[in-house]
Amino acid sequence: MNEKDAEKKIEILKSKINFHSKKYYVDNQPMVSDREFDRLMRELQQLEREFPQFFTADSPTQRVGSDISNQFQTRMHVFPMQSLGNVYSFEELADFLQRIKKNLPEKKIEYVIEQKIDGLSINLLYDNGFLQYALTRGNGIEGEDITPNVKTIRDIPLKIPYKSRIEIRGEIFLSHAEFSRLNEKRVQEGKSSFANPRNAAAGSVKLKSSLDTAKRHLNAIVYALGFSAENKFKTQKQFLEFLQENHFRINKNFTLVNSFAEMQKYCNEWDEKRFDLPFDIDGMVIKINSFVQQKELGSTAKSPRWAIAYKFQAEEAVTKLNKIEFQVGRTGAITPVAKLEPVHLSGTTVSNATLHNEDEILRLRIKIGDYVKVIKSGEIIPKVTEVVFEKRDGSEKDFAMITNCPICNSKLIRPEGEAIWRCPNVNCPAQIKKGIEHFVSRNAMDIKGMGSAIINLLVEKNLIRNVSEIYTFDYHILNQYEGFKEKSINNLINAVEESKEKPFAKVLFALGIRHIGAKIARIIAENFKSIDNLMATSTEEFLEIADLGEAIAESIHAYFQNAENVKLIKNLRQSGLNFETKIGEKSALNLEGLKFVLTGKLDKYSRNDLKEIIIKNGGDVISAISKNVDYLIAGENAGSKLQKAQKIESIRIIGEKEFEKMLEKNAPVNRKKLQIQADLFEN
């Protein structure tokens, strides 16, 4: 692979990993299995090793997947909260053990094996015997403060006998019985059921009302030490015993082993018995028992070197494929879906499975009526893996790819070099629904109150036919439909009006042009200043701008060649949306080219608001401290980021007031070391 191809591949992998990381940690709607996610991550790691010139400090290989959703205040972990590396075979596990022996030569090594509970990681800080706060893993450095919700979980004591300051880590989860009860209740109420217990638990612990969280009957098991003011623990086994003595719920299904053979045997035992448990596990965690040896091995940027997760193979079942249906996405992508005889798999009933695209169906040689093997990949995504050919009896029918859109009947197209068929009709109702959902989303026009239920009604009743009609529709008409009250209608009207103030970059992203994400939209807005300039730019001129490649250039060119799209922009412009950087607007003048990192609890702004202000004024917000950072905006309880920034002379450390002065005066702020209580302790 040459340098140009490697750079392009690295950027594609980063984009994919960041997308799937958000779907898993923030949206609780994973779209790929853990195995597939790890495959992408390993491919990126390999390319970064081979082409180090394209490695960047903000690469997903260097950080923990973040579950920060901006719904809650964030707080620093006293001791960073990392994620475990994964292996999927005993060969990989043996390699991991060999690395440990190589780094701890001539030492007797004992391992603890514990069940890997499939839930939401939690960090509990106790001081003087009382629970002070409970945080999600977040990005590993800071997490969201969900203390009121966690206090409703009976497995988590609010007071313990131990008086010293200590961080205790564990997992919040739903039992199989509670998951079934919760889904039955949701179906009775006409709501969609949760896909699996992990998603349900993650959503439940982040509900706005702790009373609603309490109704979900969550459980918690603790198993790990973060920070400890006293250096009293020598081994993991001793720490588990301490947890039990202090009224925590631990998982008693753990053992000590000294050999790989014992380890393999214990993992196999629980692989067979895992579905007899009252909760989900997706593997086993192997840790070095000695805390001294753990400290000697240390950690990478993301994971400890002294622990690994051995992931079980996905459960498999055989069932009949009755038919293949087709879904239409926002950009017209046609996805075939297998409609199956319902089969019980990994604790849930599966009746649908993705088939990805026509090429995948042909590769598997699938026929309608075949018996197929289905796995719930990573206990999440149902997927057809192969056909059971010996079960064929001649009644099966050949698969034929549809030629017309299943929703609007438009002739499908398959762009050269792509595996996906697409509906080219921008007025296709399915695309309209998905397009409106994207347009009103938080990172686009952020029209609060316009959820999928309202969008479905508006499109199905033919009340709104494209996103421009969001701004011309008379929302008072909704009075005639059940469930709409005057207050909610007025709130929706106000949200629509407020969205007209969104900057050009947000509007550009909201249009949903293929390959134009939020970051690329900002780059385009900064360089072209208006939609008119963008429409008049040739592909060659477009490619002269860094970060904008051929695929983006071709996508934009194709978008503006469509008369319906040009008409849509005209209508949105008439409704008052911003399609240019306004004269007199500060925009890129104040913070252009400056990189910011945010840390600690801020008084005046939420993280998301401050990030938006910085981006609107031409700056960029990144997550990691390095010499490339210009400013650290530090709030209360700033931690390790502040300490790292203080060691780099070029980074200016400021507070919210100093930041506001930058906007007012358009002048750099002198470096100022803020006297902030870091609230950090050495372990």
Side-chain angles (χ1 to χ4, degrees):
M1 184 181 292
N2 60 41
E3 284 197 0
K4 184 177 180 181
D5 290 341
E7 184 178 20
K8 184 176 181 181
K9 183 66 175 176
I10 284 171
E11 289 306 311
I12 290 171
L13 285 169
K14 284 181 179 179
S15 179
K16 282 185 178 180
I17 290 169
N18 288 332
F19 171 79
H20 288 301
S21 184
K22 179 179 181 295
K23 296 302 290 184
Y24 182 88
Y25 289 106
V26 179
D27 300 339
N28 298 312
Q29 296 175 345
M31 296 180 69
V32 295
S33 67
D34 289 351
R35 184 184 290 264
E36 174 61 15
F37 185 83
D38 285 344
R39 186 194 67 76
L40 294 171
M41 188 70 78
R42 289 179 183 183
E43 187 178 356
L44 177 58
Q45 288 170 335
Q46 182 62 34
L47 283 172
E48 288 179 340
R49 282 194 292 268
E50 293 177 8
F51 299 91
Q53 63 269 39
F54 302 129
F55 169 81
T56 57
D58 64 346
S59 170
T61 62
Q62 301 301 301
R63 62 175 188 266
V64 174
S66 176
D67 62 20
I68 294 176
S69 62
N70 297 309
Q71 292 177 297
F72 300 86
Q73 289 290 331
T74 57
R75 185 190 289 265
M76 305 291 293
H77 299 300
V78 177
F79 194 78
M81 197 171 179
Q82 297 184 307
S83 59
L84 290 174
N86 296 325
V87 294
Y88 293 91
S89 69
F90 286 125
E91 289 77 15
E92 290 179 319
L93 181 57
D95 290 342
F96 168 76
L97 298 180
Q98 281 300 116
R99 290 195 297 273
I100 286 180
K101 288 180 180 178
K102 183 179 178 181
N103 289 302
L104 295 174
E106 308 301 323
K107 292 188 178 180
K108 182 180 178 181
I109 306 170
E110 188 175 49
Y111 298 92
V112 176
I113 307 182
E114 306 169 28
Q115 293 172 338
K116 186 177 182 299
I117 300 166
D118 194 12
L120 178 82
S121 297
I122 193 70
N123 185 28
L124 310 167
L125 186 126
Y126 289 83
D127 197 4
N128 196 30
F130 291 93
L131 176 64
Q132 301 298 315
Y133 55 74
L135 309 180
T136 66
R137 185 197 304 276
N139 58 18
I141 301 299
E142 58 186 351
E144 290 186 311
D145 191 332
I146 54 172
T147 308
N149 291 355
V150 168
K151 283 184 175 180
T152 69
I153 303 172
R154 293 185 179 182
D155 293 331
I156 296 177
L158 304 182
K159 183 180 179 183
I160 60 175
Y162 186 70
K163 300 300 180 185
S164 292
R165 189 176 175 89
I166 188 170
E167 271 185 326
I168 294 169
R169 276 110 191 236
E171 207 82 6
I172 293 173
F173 62 94
L174 270 176
S175 68
H176 292 156
E178 181 58 23
F179 176 67
S180 297
R181 184 198 69 80
L182 184 59
N183 266 350
E184 287 173 9
K185 185 171 183 291
R186 289 178 69 84
V187 170
Q188 290 170 2
E189 293 172 348
K191 299 176 181 177
S192 59
S193 57
F194 288 113
N196 54 66
R198 192 265 170 199
N199 288 10
S204 300
V205 85
K206 288 192 174 185
L207 292 171
K208 291 182 179 180
S209 167
S210 57
L211 294 175
D212 290 333
T213 299
K215 295 174 185 176
R216 299 287 177 87
H217 303 149
L218 294 165
N219 292 114
I221 284 176
V222 295
Y223 48 74
L225 174 66
F227 160 80
S228 174
E230 294 181 354
N231 190 22
K232 64 174 287 182
F233 306 108
K234 304 300 180 186
T235 67
Q236 172 68 6
K237 183 176 182 293
Q238 180 195 5
F239 179 64
L240 291 173
E241 291 167 350
F242 160 82
L243 291 172
Q244 198 166 10
E245 290 167 4
N246 280 270
H247 314 314
F248 290 97
R249 179 182 176 184
I250 68 166
N251 188 342
K252 297 179 182 179
N253 295 317
F254 71 90
T255 191
L256 291 176
V257 300
N258 295 294
S259 70
F260 177 65
E262 292 175 300
M263 194 178 293
Q264 194 172 13
K265 181 182 177 184
Y266 197 69
C267 288
N268 281 333
E269 283 178 10
W270 278 111
D271 194 359
E272 294 176 7
K273 297 190 296 183
R274 56 177 157 145
F275 299 110
D276 297 330
L277 291 167
F279 49 80
D280 281 348
I281 65 170
D282 59 354
M284 305 296 286
V285 177
I286 294 94
K287 303 175 182 176
I288 288 180
N289 190 32
S290 166
F291 281 5
V292 171
Q293 291 177 347
Q294 288 183 10
K295 190 172 183 180
E296 190 173 342
L297 285 173
S299 304
T300 67
K302 288 182 61 177
S303 307
R305 292 191 177 95
W306 44 264
I308 201 78
Y310 168 73
K311 302 296 284 290
F312 294 138
Q313 295 296 314
E315 188 189 5
E316 185 178 77
V318 174
T319 188
K320 189 175 183 180
L321 190 155
N322 291 322
K323 60 180 177 177
I324 296 176
E325 294 184 349
F326 298 87
Q327 295 178 345
V328 185
R330 175 174 62 83
T331 60
I334 306 296
T335 303
V337 178
K339 309 301 286 187
L340 309 167
E341 285 285 342
V343 61
H344 194 72
L345 202 58
S346 301
T348 59
T349 300
V350 172
S351 55
N352 301 318
T354 181
L355 291 168
H356 299 293
N357 53 54
E358 180 189 20
D359 290 351
E360 177 71 0
I361 296 172
L362 296 176
R363 184 186 71 80
L364 293 171
R365 293 185 289 161
I366 289 174
K367 292 187 177 185
I368 311 300
D370 267 333
Y371 281 86
V372 294
K373 289 183 180 179
V374 183
I375 64 169
K376 206 169 181 192
S377 191
E379 319 302 335
I380 299 291
I381 308 295
K383 178 182 177 183
V384 174
T385 59
E386 61 181 288
V387 174
V388 184
F389 292 106
E390 57 268 28
K391 280 184 169 284
R392 282 186 174 171
D393 59 11
S395 63
E396 298 81 14
K397 298 178 181 178
D398 289 337
F399 164 77
M401 184 65 192
I402 57 174
T403 57
N404 294 75
C405 175
I407 304 300
C408 70
N409 203 40
S410 295
K411 187 78 172 175
L412 299 181
I413 61 170
R414 182 172 173 174
E416 187 177 350
E418 292 191 14
I420 297 172
W421 286 89
R422 295 183 184 275
C423 169
N425 177 19
V426 294
N427 291 317
C428 173
Q431 291 186 60
I432 291 172
K433 285 181 184 179
K434 295 289 185 181
I436 293 174
E437 286 177 6
H438 172 77
F439 188 87
V440 305
S441 64
R442 183 167 61 86
N443 290 328
M445 303 308 291
D446 194 20
I447 301 180
K448 295 178 176 64
M450 189 169 284
S452 57
I454 293 178
I455 292 169
N456 287 339
L457 172 70
L458 292 171
V459 176
E460 288 168 7
K461 299 292 184 184
N462 206 30
L463 299 173
I464 286 182
R465 293 163 295 181
N466 58 58
V467 295
S468 72
E469 294 184 359
I470 289 172
Y471 296 94
T472 57
F473 177 65
D474 180 4
Y475 289 92
H476 292 290
I477 292 173
L478 294 175
N479 269 320
Q480 62 187 279
Y481 297 100
E482 186 178 350
F484 290 96
K485 297 180 180 179
E486 197 63 35
K487 183 179 179 181
S488 61
I489 290 172
N490 287 333
N491 288 340
L492 185 55
I493 292 170
N494 291 335
V496 170
E497 282 301 309
E498 288 172 7
S499 74
K500 294 179 181 180
E501 300 303 314
K502 296 293 178 186
F504 175 35
K506 291 272 188 180
V507 179
L508 186 60
F509 172 63
L511 291 176
I513 304 171
R514 285 189 70 199
H515 305 307
I516 309 300
K519 181 179 178 180
I520 295 299
R522 292 199 301 271
I523 293 170
I524 292 172
E526 288 167 8
N527 281 276
F528 293 97
K529 308 300 182 189
S530 76
I531 198 80
D532 295 319
N533 292 340
L534 183 59
M535 293 171 73
T537 301
S538 68
T539 302
E540 291 74 21
E541 292 172 316
F542 191 87
L543 289 172
E544 291 175 3
I545 297 170
D547 297 319
L548 305 181
E550 263 183 56
I552 296 171
E554 290 170 2
S555 179
I556 287 180
H557 177 74
Y559 185 86
F560 291 128
Q561 291 301 303
N562 188 304
E564 290 293 328
N565 294 335
V566 175
K567 181 181 177 182
L568 177 73
I569 290 169
K570 179 183 177 182
N571 291 339
L572 288 171
R573 193 176 235 162
Q574 288 176 347
S575 293
L577 273 67
N578 289 327
F579 281 96
E580 60 184 37
T581 302
K582 294 179 179 177
I583 296 174
E585 192 174 63
K586 293 176 183 177
S587 189
L589 294 176
N590 285 28
L591 309 179
E592 187 169 11
L594 297 177
K595 290 182 171 60
F596 292 79
V597 171
L598 314 179
T599 188
K601 183 180 179 181
L602 303 170
D603 293 324
K604 188 171 181 180
Y605 304 97
S606 71
R607 288 286 182 87
N608 212 44
D609 289 342
L610 194 56
K611 182 177 180 180
E612 190 168 318
I613 291 170
I614 291 169
I615 291 169
K616 183 179 179 181
N617 284 273
D620 196 9
V621 178
I622 57 179
S623 59
I625 293 291
S626 72
K627 291 181 179 179
N628 295 326
V629 174
D630 297 292
Y631 289 91
L632 175 74
I633 301 178
E636 184 183 351
N637 291 328
S640 60
K641 288 182 182 178
L642 175 62
Q643 289 187 334
K644 289 178 182 177
Q646 288 171 327
K647 296 175 183 177
I648 302 175
E649 189 61 32
S650 60
I651 297 178
R652 300 182 181 95
I653 301 172
I654 62 174
E656 290 172 278
K657 290 182 180 178
E658 288 82 3
F659 173 72
E660 288 176 337
K661 288 177 182 177
M662 288 179 69
L663 296 180
E664 292 169 5
K665 297 180 179 180
N666 190 19
V669 177
N670 291 329
R671 181 179 176 89
K672 180 181 180 181
K673 300 288 187 181
L674 299 181
Q675 298 301 311
I676 297 176
Q677 177 61 41
D679 196 24
L680 287 177
F681 298 82
E682 289 190 5
N683 193 358

